[in-house]
Amino acid sequence: MREKNGDNLIPEVDEKIPFSKLWIFSLQHVMSMCAGAVAVPIMIGGAAGLEHLEIVFLISAGLFMAGIGTLIQGYGMKNIAGAKIPVIEGTSFAAVSGILAIIAGAHGDKHLAMTTVFGSVIISGLFCFIIAPVFGKLIKFFPKIVTGTIVLVIGISIMPVGIKWITGGVAKPASVQEVELSLTVLVITLLLFKYIKGIWNSAAILFSIVIGTVLSMALGMADFSQVKDVGWFSLNVPLKFGMPTFNVSAIISMILIMLVLMTESVGNMIAIHEITDKDITEQNIRRGLAGDGISTFLAGIFNTFPITPFAQNTGLIGLINIKSRFVGIYAGIILLVLSFIPKFAAVMGAIPKPVLGGVGFAMFGMVLVGGIKTLSKVKFDGTKNSVIVAVSIGLSMIPLANLTFYENFPAWVQTIFHSGITTGSISAVLLNIFFNVLGNKNIEEKSSSNEIEEIYISNESLEINN
């Protein structure tokens, strides 16, 4: 909690930071998420057969809706949408495989491919908004043993993304030069965290990316040659590729993907609530998912893909320990402004992935640490909670260890379980119900007793400190 005017205490998540400090924290979040925001439209645009300038437009469109989604979550839309937490939104990696399948069904017609994708995105966003209250009510099945496990699973599941960045974003043998650059950036990051103080310490990730990019240019590992061909201004025209095509098969596929994204979104929002010490309530989860639904609905109109929280930024919040939602709000404004500058999108796309891999260890690792901190508050002795964590993590590792594990299963199984985060989340919820809820008639009584005990211990500690 932070003091305001010497009397009232306000949560750190609602703290208003002076703009002289706020802008650098917000810019750091933008720089940290841009690699992911750029990668998704590049992969999808390339699969659809779009030309270079069309792909740059897709990148700008993604930044535009990332800004809108982030503003909705940070600022809120009264009681309709927005969790009012420092969540940074963007186009989700988890939707890529399903979108590529939809594109393949267009048989080389790139405009049909894109309009079919956007049509399914529009409907899936509407579906997410409508079903958000149902997901919100499920929060009672998310005690700390579940939330801690989910956050831990998210950290484990996204770590391979940072590792693949070292080798250019794909799984292949690393070159000596790539490893040297990534490790150098990691060392720079650690040195900055140790030796620089105050506001600049909290901006260590941003400085590491900038220094790493300059270093990569000196080593001849950065290619900015295509940046000069891109203009300075563009407008995200709605339905640029034509009126949306509403294909039933594509819509069903995207709705299944949206259910997966909603599960991951809940996990990220829970993680941010834990990091910022904000109560996890049904209302906050409902409004957060409704915000994702609105953003995704608009994303289909404004030429981009499903919008959900970015896990790397969740880790960054814990790493720099700046919890104010106004950092997210200003990051949203920056993303909106940058979306009108395609030259920036081209520059972000040209930052060497090994640079981002170097800072990825710290960012993604902090998500994992957040899960460990939450689980440290859980009672393991005399319970089956250790089984819940062990089995959930084990199941979440299946798609990480073997990408083809589910290939012989129906398409809907592949869509849902190809994500380790979804698998681990579902497992944690079901196992908690099995071990801690079913047959336990005194569960509410025990919960109340534990809460009273925690309050008593907190008060006793307070008296001792005073």
Side-chain angles (χ1 to χ4, degrees):
M1 305 290 281
R2 297 293 179 99
E3 284 195 20
K4 185 179 181 182
N5 297 329
D7 298 315
N8 300 322
L9 291 173
I10 61 171
E12 287 183 90
V13 73
D14 293 320
E15 180 191 7
K16 292 186 177 180
I17 301 173
F19 181 74
S20 58
K21 299 179 179 179
L22 188 62
W23 72 270
I24 196 163
F25 300 141
S26 302
L27 182 60
Q28 183 168 228
H29 270 289
V30 170
M31 294 292 287
S32 299
M33 63 83 67
C34 271
V38 166
V40 173
I42 287 176
M43 287 189 291
I44 294 172
L50 300 185
E51 296 179 6
H52 174 66
L53 291 180
E54 290 177 312
I55 292 175
V56 170
F57 173 81
L58 280 186
I59 294 172
S60 295
L63 295 177
F64 176 81
M65 279 313 308
I68 296 293
T70 301
L71 285 172
I72 290 174
Q73 294 291 8
Y75 191 76
M77 298 173 63
K78 294 188 177 179
N79 196 38
I80 299 171
K84 293 188 176 181
I85 53 177
V87 61
I88 309 298
E89 303 258 307
T91 48
S92 174
F93 271 106
V96 170
S97 58
I99 291 174
L100 295 183
I102 294 172
I103 289 172
H107 305 293
D109 187 334
K110 65 179 183 180
H111 284 95
L112 176 61
M114 299 311 295
T115 56
T116 303
V117 168
F118 295 141
S120 63
V121 170
I122 289 170
I123 300 301
S124 68
L126 186 61
F127 169 82
C128 178
F129 179 78
I130 293 171
I131 204 174
V134 177
F135 260 71
K137 291 184 182 299
L138 298 178
I139 197 63
K140 62 184 177 182
F141 297 111
F142 287 79
K144 286 192 183 298
I145 180 61
V146 173
T147 59
T149 303
I150 291 174
V151 175
L152 188 61
V153 164
I154 291 173
I156 293 170
S157 297
I158 63 175
M159 190 63 77
V161 174
I163 295 171
K164 286 179 182 176
W165 277 346
I166 297 173
T167 53
V170 295
K172 67 177 181 66
S175 69
V176 173
Q177 198 173 33
E178 288 171 336
V179 173
E180 287 177 344
L181 178 58
S182 293
L183 289 180
T184 301
V185 172
L186 175 60
V187 170
I188 291 170
T189 304
L190 297 175
L191 290 173
L192 290 175
F193 272 120
K194 181 173 175 61
Y195 290 111
I196 60 176
K197 306 298 181 183
I199 179 178
W200 306 115
N201 183 273
S202 298
I205 295 293
L206 174 62
F207 294 146
S208 297
I209 292 173
V210 172
I211 295 171
T213 302
V214 173
L215 183 60
S216 70
M217 294 171 68
L219 295 172
M221 295 178 66
D223 181 12
F224 292 93
S225 60
Q226 291 187 317
V227 174
K228 65 177 185 295
D229 299 327
V230 179
W232 282 99
F233 179 81
S234 72
L235 198 61
N236 188 358
V237 181
L239 307 176
K240 179 179 173 63
F241 292 88
M243 291 299 293
T245 302
F246 298 104
N247 179 284
V248 175
S249 177
I251 289 170
I252 293 173
S253 174
M254 192 62 72
I255 285 176
L256 283 173
I257 291 168
M258 201 69 217
L259 287 169
V260 174
L261 297 181
M262 291 173 75
T263 304
E264 294 188 6
S265 183
V266 168
N268 275 292
M269 285 190 282
I270 286 172
I272 295 172
H273 277 77
E274 293 279 356
I275 293 169
T276 58
D277 303 315
K278 184 171 182 176
D279 291 338
I280 304 169
T281 65
E282 175 185 330
Q283 185 183 46
N284 286 342
I285 298 300
R286 174 185 61 78
R287 290 191 308 199
L289 290 174
D292 286 349
I294 292 172
S295 300
T296 299
F297 174 81
L298 293 174
I301 296 173
F302 285 96
N303 316 293
T304 193
F305 317 104
I307 303 293
T308 58
F310 264 34
Q312 55 261 50
N313 294 90
T314 302
L316 184 59
I317 296 167
L319 192 63
I320 67 176
N321 202 33
I322 304 295
K323 303 175 181 179
S324 172
R325 64 188 172 94
F326 291 96
V327 172
I329 290 172
Y330 275 88
I333 293 171
I334 292 173
L335 285 167
L336 260 181
V337 171
L338 293 178
S339 73
F340 296 108
I341 309 173
K343 189 82 75 176
F344 171 82
V347 169
M348 288 298 99
I351 291 178
K353 294 294 188 296
V355 172
L356 300 168
V359 298
F361 287 108
M363 288 193 303
F364 297 152
M366 282 306 297
V367 180
L368 191 151
V369 170
I372 294 173
K373 288 171 67 177
T374 301
L375 289 175
S376 69
K377 304 171 186 175
V378 173
K379 181 181 179 183
F380 285 96
D381 293 338
T383 70
K384 300 299 182 186
N385 286 333
S386 56
V387 177
I388 296 172
V389 178
V391 173
S392 298
I393 291 176
L395 291 174
S396 73
M397 293 294 291
I398 291 174
L400 293 179
N402 185 352
L403 290 174
T404 62
F405 188 88
Y406 294 109
E407 277 195 2
N408 292 329
F409 288 79
W412 66 269
V413 173
Q414 296 181 44
T415 299
I416 294 174
F417 293 104
H418 85 281
S419 166
I421 296 173
T422 306
T423 308
S425 300
I426 293 173
S427 171
V429 171
L430 294 180
L431 288 176
N432 176 66
I433 293 172
F434 178 71
F435 284 114
N436 295 331
V437 178
L438 291 179
N440 194 344
K441 297 178 181 178
N442 298 320
I443 189 74
E444 291 183 6
E445 190 176 313
K446 285 188 176 182
S447 296
S448 300
S449 174
N450 288 339
E451 287 177 10
I452 291 170
E453 185 179 352
E454 286 179 10
I455 292 169
Y456 173 77
I457 291 171
S458 298
N459 288 340
E460 187 178 31
S461 301
L462 187 60
E463 289 174 8
I464 292 171
N465 291 333
N466 288 338

